Amino acid sequence: MTEQATPIVPDHAAAQSYWAGKAGDWVQWADPVARLAEKINIPFLESIDLAPGHRLLDLASGAGEPAMSALSIAGENGLVVATDFVPGMLTGLQKRPGADQMKLAAADMQALPFADTVFDRISCRFGIMFVPDPAAVARECRRILSTDGVCGFMIWGPQEDQTLFSILSQAVFDILGQEPDSHHQSIFRFGRKGDLQDIFLDAGFHSVVETDQYHKARAHLDRPFWQAQLHMTYGHLLTDLDQAALDHLNNHILCLFKDLPRDEQGSTILNSHTRILIAQKG
């Protein structure tokens, strides 16, 4: 592959079209990966001090994360509103068990259709990097938060810290000849610490803190654990492949994983790096 390009500012219409094409894959894999998502969601929601009775707005909810996890915390006296700028995502989310307990709204996080100071908490997991104007998002979040409101954004660290993304990207290039596109580069748009923090400070938030999280997962190569991420990231490239071509791609992915370091138990080590930004309004 060529050297990684500098992430570019996403085009809004192109991003919406891109995600509309991916809605089916995300909805299909939402329930199978729900338990794994919960392990990420709960600590994230705890970091914004989500509590029973809170009114939570979840941005870029996709197929429902972390909004689904927030329901059990906000409780029956609270409110969870899940939003996305792709209606197809919300249509899929609506079919998931338990989704009838939340409100759904099609919304662009750069211009939210809500009144001032109506939410106690805002969450966004892996969404703000695809927005053309993140400064507008920060201003909108501050506008709709209550006086002591808090928002939290989970983003990816640098691409070189992400084993699974790197392996899949390499395999797709090796077998399909597909270079990482601008969307893929945008995933790591805020990989450099401080870039997103500066945006929220400029928007007038009282306190903005970024916390890095480095993870090491142990994977067993006797099962294709990468399937969900492969289809959710590259499903648009796999649609026209026959079974033989898919098998060839998966076999190559397995070979790449076999080249990685293993621990004493023979498990393959998968590194990942996420970052959580917490912004307090007052």
Side-chain angles (χ1 to χ4, degrees), residues 155 190 192-203 207-210 275 277-278:
I155 56 178
F190 295 113
R192 186 173 63 181
K193 191 168 185 176
D195 285 357
L196 189 59
Q197 182 182 36
D198 289 344
I199 290 171
F200 277 79
L201 286 171
D202 289 344
S207 171
V208 184
V209 177
E210 287 186 330
R275 182 175 300 123
L277 176 143
I278 304 297

Short mmCIF file of all heavy atoms in Angstrom, two decimals, residues 155 190 192-203 207-210 275 277-278:
data_model
loop_
_atom_site.label_atom_id
_atom_site.label_comp_id
_atom_site.label_asym_id
_atom_site.label_seq_id
_atom_site.Cartn_x
_atom_site.Cartn_y
_atom_site.Cartn_z
N ILE A 155 -13.34 8.36 20.34
CA ILE A 155 -12.72 8.39 19.01
C ILE A 155 -11.58 7.37 18.98
O ILE A 155 -11.15 6.85 20.01
CB ILE A 155 -12.19 9.80 18.68
CG1 ILE A 155 -11.21 10.26 19.77
CG2 ILE A 155 -13.34 10.78 18.53
CD1 ILE A 155 -10.58 11.62 19.51
N PHE A 190 -8.94 12.29 14.23
CA PHE A 190 -8.54 12.92 15.47
C PHE A 190 -7.58 12.02 16.27
O PHE A 190 -7.59 12.02 17.49
CB PHE A 190 -9.78 13.26 16.31
CG PHE A 190 -10.66 14.29 15.66
CD1 PHE A 190 -11.93 13.96 15.21
CD2 PHE A 190 -10.21 15.58 15.47
CE1 PHE A 190 -12.74 14.90 14.60
CE2 PHE A 190 -11.01 16.54 14.85
CZ PHE A 190 -12.27 16.19 14.41
N ARG A 192 -4.45 12.37 16.60
CA ARG A 192 -3.46 13.17 17.34
C ARG A 192 -4.13 13.81 18.56
O ARG A 192 -5.12 14.52 18.44
CB ARG A 192 -2.86 14.25 16.44
CG ARG A 192 -1.72 15.03 17.10
CD ARG A 192 -1.05 15.95 16.12
NE ARG A 192 -1.96 16.97 15.62
CZ ARG A 192 -1.62 17.89 14.73
NH1 ARG A 192 -0.39 17.88 14.22
NH2 ARG A 192 -2.50 18.80 14.32
N LYS A 193 -3.59 13.55 19.71
CA LYS A 193 -4.18 14.05 20.95
C LYS A 193 -4.18 15.57 20.96
O LYS A 193 -3.20 16.22 20.61
CB LYS A 193 -3.42 13.51 22.16
CG LYS A 193 -4.12 13.77 23.48
CD LYS A 193 -3.49 12.98 24.61
CE LYS A 193 -4.27 13.15 25.90
NZ LYS A 193 -3.73 12.31 27.00
N GLY A 194 -5.31 16.12 21.38
CA GLY A 194 -5.43 17.56 21.52
C GLY A 194 -6.22 18.23 20.41
O GLY A 194 -6.78 19.32 20.61
N ASP A 195 -6.29 17.61 19.22
CA ASP A 195 -6.98 18.24 18.10
C ASP A 195 -8.47 18.44 18.40
O ASP A 195 -9.02 19.52 18.16
CB ASP A 195 -6.81 17.41 16.84
CG ASP A 195 -5.42 17.55 16.23
OD1 ASP A 195 -4.62 18.33 16.77
OD2 ASP A 195 -5.14 16.87 15.21
N LEU A 196 -9.13 17.41 18.90
CA LEU A 196 -10.54 17.53 19.22
C LEU A 196 -10.75 18.35 20.49
O LEU A 196 -11.71 19.13 20.59
CB LEU A 196 -11.17 16.14 19.38
CG LEU A 196 -12.69 16.09 19.50
CD1 LEU A 196 -13.35 16.70 18.27
CD2 LEU A 196 -13.17 14.65 19.71
N GLN A 197 -9.86 18.20 21.43
CA GLN A 197 -9.95 18.97 22.68
C GLN A 197 -9.96 20.47 22.40
O GLN A 197 -10.75 21.23 22.98
CB GLN A 197 -8.79 18.61 23.59
CG GLN A 197 -8.80 19.32 24.93
CD GLN A 197 -7.59 18.94 25.77
OE1 GLN A 197 -6.49 18.73 25.25
NE2 GLN A 197 -7.78 18.82 27.08
N ASP A 198 -9.10 20.93 21.51
CA ASP A 198 -9.03 22.36 21.17
C ASP A 198 -10.36 22.87 20.61
O ASP A 198 -10.77 24.00 20.89
CB ASP A 198 -7.91 22.60 20.17
CG ASP A 198 -6.53 22.44 20.77
OD1 ASP A 198 -6.41 22.44 22.01
OD2 ASP A 198 -5.56 22.30 19.99
N ILE A 199 -11.01 22.04 19.82
CA ILE A 199 -12.28 22.44 19.21
C ILE A 199 -13.35 22.69 20.28
O ILE A 199 -14.09 23.68 20.22
CB ILE A 199 -12.75 21.36 18.21
CG1 ILE A 199 -11.83 21.35 16.98
CG2 ILE A 199 -14.21 21.58 17.80
CD1 ILE A 199 -12.06 20.20 16.03
N PHE A 200 -13.40 21.84 21.30
CA PHE A 200 -14.41 21.99 22.34
C PHE A 200 -14.06 23.13 23.31
O PHE A 200 -14.95 23.80 23.82
CB PHE A 200 -14.62 20.67 23.07
CG PHE A 200 -15.57 19.75 22.34
CD1 PHE A 200 -15.13 19.02 21.25
CD2 PHE A 200 -16.89 19.65 22.72
CE1 PHE A 200 -16.00 18.19 20.55
CE2 PHE A 200 -17.77 18.83 22.03
CZ PHE A 200 -17.32 18.10 20.94
N LEU A 201 -12.80 23.35 23.52
CA LEU A 201 -12.41 24.51 24.33
C LEU A 201 -12.78 25.81 23.62
O LEU A 201 -13.29 26.75 24.24
CB LEU A 201 -10.90 24.46 24.61
CG LEU A 201 -10.44 23.43 25.63
CD1 LEU A 201 -8.91 23.34 25.64
CD2 LEU A 201 -10.96 23.77 27.03
N ASP A 202 -12.55 25.86 22.31
CA ASP A 202 -12.89 27.06 21.54
C ASP A 202 -14.40 27.31 21.52
O ASP A 202 -14.84 28.45 21.35
CB ASP A 202 -12.39 26.93 20.10
CG ASP A 202 -10.87 27.02 20.01
OD1 ASP A 202 -10.24 27.49 20.99
OD2 ASP A 202 -10.31 26.64 18.96
N ALA A 203 -15.19 26.23 21.71
CA ALA A 203 -16.65 26.37 21.71
C ALA A 203 -17.18 26.90 23.03
O ALA A 203 -18.38 27.19 23.14
CB ALA A 203 -17.30 25.02 21.40
N SER A 207 -14.61 22.86 30.96
CA SER A 207 -13.54 21.88 31.18
C SER A 207 -13.60 20.83 30.09
O SER A 207 -14.67 20.30 29.78
CB SER A 207 -13.71 21.21 32.55
OG SER A 207 -12.81 20.12 32.70
N VAL A 208 -12.44 20.55 29.48
CA VAL A 208 -12.37 19.54 28.43
C VAL A 208 -11.15 18.66 28.70
O VAL A 208 -10.02 19.16 28.75
CB VAL A 208 -12.26 20.16 27.02
CG1 VAL A 208 -12.29 19.07 25.96
CG2 VAL A 208 -13.38 21.17 26.79
N VAL A 209 -11.38 17.37 28.87
CA VAL A 209 -10.30 16.44 29.20
C VAL A 209 -10.32 15.27 28.23
O VAL A 209 -11.39 14.72 27.95
CB VAL A 209 -10.44 15.92 30.65
CG1 VAL A 209 -9.34 14.89 30.95
CG2 VAL A 209 -10.39 17.07 31.64
N GLU A 210 -9.17 14.90 27.72
CA GLU A 210 -9.04 13.71 26.87
C GLU A 210 -8.27 12.64 27.63
O GLU A 210 -7.23 12.92 28.24
CB GLU A 210 -8.30 14.04 25.57
CG GLU A 210 -9.11 14.85 24.58
CD GLU A 210 -8.39 15.01 23.26
OE1 GLU A 210 -7.14 15.03 23.24
OE2 GLU A 210 -9.07 15.12 22.23
N ARG A 275 -9.73 6.96 22.53
CA ARG A 275 -9.60 8.15 23.36
C ARG A 275 -11.01 8.66 23.68
O ARG A 275 -11.89 8.65 22.83
CB ARG A 275 -8.80 9.22 22.63
CG ARG A 275 -8.55 10.49 23.44
CD ARG A 275 -7.64 11.46 22.67
NE ARG A 275 -6.35 10.87 22.37
CZ ARG A 275 -5.85 10.76 21.15
NH1 ARG A 275 -6.52 11.19 20.11
NH2 ARG A 275 -4.67 10.19 20.96
N LEU A 277 -13.11 11.94 25.06
CA LEU A 277 -13.13 13.37 25.40
C LEU A 277 -14.37 13.63 26.25
O LEU A 277 -15.48 13.25 25.89
CB LEU A 277 -13.18 14.22 24.13
CG LEU A 277 -13.32 15.74 24.33
CD1 LEU A 277 -12.50 16.49 23.30
CD2 LEU A 277 -14.78 16.19 24.25
N ILE A 278 -14.15 14.27 27.39
CA ILE A 278 -15.24 14.66 28.28
C ILE A 278 -15.24 16.19 28.38
O ILE A 278 -14.23 16.79 28.76
CB ILE A 278 -15.08 14.06 29.70
CG1 ILE A 278 -14.98 12.55 29.63
CG2 ILE A 278 -16.24 14.50 30.58
CD1 ILE A 278 -16.19 11.87 29.08
#
